[in-house]
Amino acid sequence: DTAVSQTPKYLVTQMGNDKSIKCEQNLGHDTMYWYKQDSKKFLKIMFSYNNKELIINETVPNRFSPKSPDKAHLNLHINSLELGDSAVYFCASSQVDSRGVWFGETQYFGPGTRLLVL
Amino acid sequence: RKEVEQDPGPFNVPEGATVAFNCTYSNSASQSFFWYRQDCRKEPKLLMSVYSSGNEDGRFTAQLNRASQYISLLIRDSKLSDSATYLCVVTRASNYGQNFVFGPGTRLSVLP
């Protein structure tokens, strides 16, 4: 069974479009994350949600809006796509409670969504 | 200065070689430490956690020196299948909870 899944796997779109990436985890974790890995392969956190509540919001353009309908899902919506948004976006999950106390488990990553903006 | 720094690589080694990766972190409040591996066009996967006492998992040995803020990974008898990018990861508390901070990675190619 896939622990963390993302859709779509590939996304090719034009500049200016709006697109969404979906993520689901079946691990029962309370915390989910979105990371961006750019062409230089550097993996950087964008957002983190704990039990549907935003707990980490790094410096990300407000064109990026995460949405967590429940603790098993964290979707990423991107408005007005730009060329520089081209990257691989990874979703991840781990077990951290709302106080940020971490239970010692590491993160599990989804397979990634390869976004290409033309 | 990046919060987590690693050997720039790439490392090209013959099969059977021993290879060591180094990692330093700048935030002394860092709490937990890991090595991940990432294969080409795949997601990062946990290789091993790193404990202060050092730990070993088969051919892999990880060490942590909190005083020097230094983490290492040693791979003995390297196999072709060890070819990947190795990511050093630390966690630290923030206003929002735990942050996982990834290093830039060191690419390893094991050659036949």
Side-chain angles (χ1 to χ4, degrees), chain B residues 4 6 23-24 34-36 71 86-90 101-103 105:
Chain B
V4 180
Q6 297 184 236
C23 170
T24 57
F34 306 94
W35 284 101
Y36 276 67
I71 306 161
Y86 290 82
L87 302 163
C88 176
V89 184
V90 307
V101 183
F102 283 74

Side-chain angles (χ1 to χ4, degrees), chain B residues 38-49:
Chain B
Q38 186 173 21
D39 293 292
C40 188
R41 302 182 69 78
K42 297 285 189 182
E43 71 273 24
K45 289 187 178 175
L46 177 68
L47 179 65
M48 59 197 302
S49 302

Side-chain angles (χ1 to χ4, degrees), chain B residues 9-21 37-40 47 59-60 73-86 106-112:
Chain B
F11 286 15
N12 299 314
V13 303
E15 265 188 293
T18 295
V19 60
F21 298 117
R37 74 171 272 168
Q38 186 173 21
D39 293 292
C40 188
L47 179 65
R59 297 181 294 109
F60 299 83
L73 176 68
L74 187 76
I75 305 176
R76 290 181 301 279
D77 188 24
S78 47
K79 313 287 185 194
L80 295 176
S81 57
D82 294 334
S83 297
T85 296
Y86 290 82
T106 303
R107 190 157 58 89
L108 171 66
S109 293
V110 181
L111 308 171

Side-chain angles (χ1 to χ4, degrees), chain A residues 10 33 35 37 40-43 45 54-58 90 94 96 99-102 104-112 114, chain B residues 2 4 31-32 34 36 38 40-46 49 87 89 91-92 94-105:
Chain A
Y10 298 96
Y33 310 79
Y35 286 85
Q37 189 169 43
K40 294 182 180 173
K41 308 297 183 188
F42 198 58
L43 197 65
I45 192 165
L54 179 68
I55 58 171
I56 292 173
N57 183 356
E58 293 293 309
F90 287 103
S94 70
V96 176
R99 297 166 297 160
V101 176
W102 179 61
E105 273 195 48
T106 187
Q107 290 184 321
Y108 295 86
F109 281 80
R114 282 152 185 81
Chain B
K2 290 191 175 68
V4 180
Q31 298 180 333
S32 299
F34 306 94
Y36 276 67
Q38 186 173 21
C40 188
R41 302 182 69 78
K42 297 285 189 182
E43 71 273 24
K45 289 187 178 175
L46 177 68
S49 302
L87 302 163
V89 184
T91 67
R92 58 168 164 81
S94 70
N95 290 338
Y96 301 104
Q98 292 280 345
N99 266 6
F100 286 78
V101 183
F102 283 74

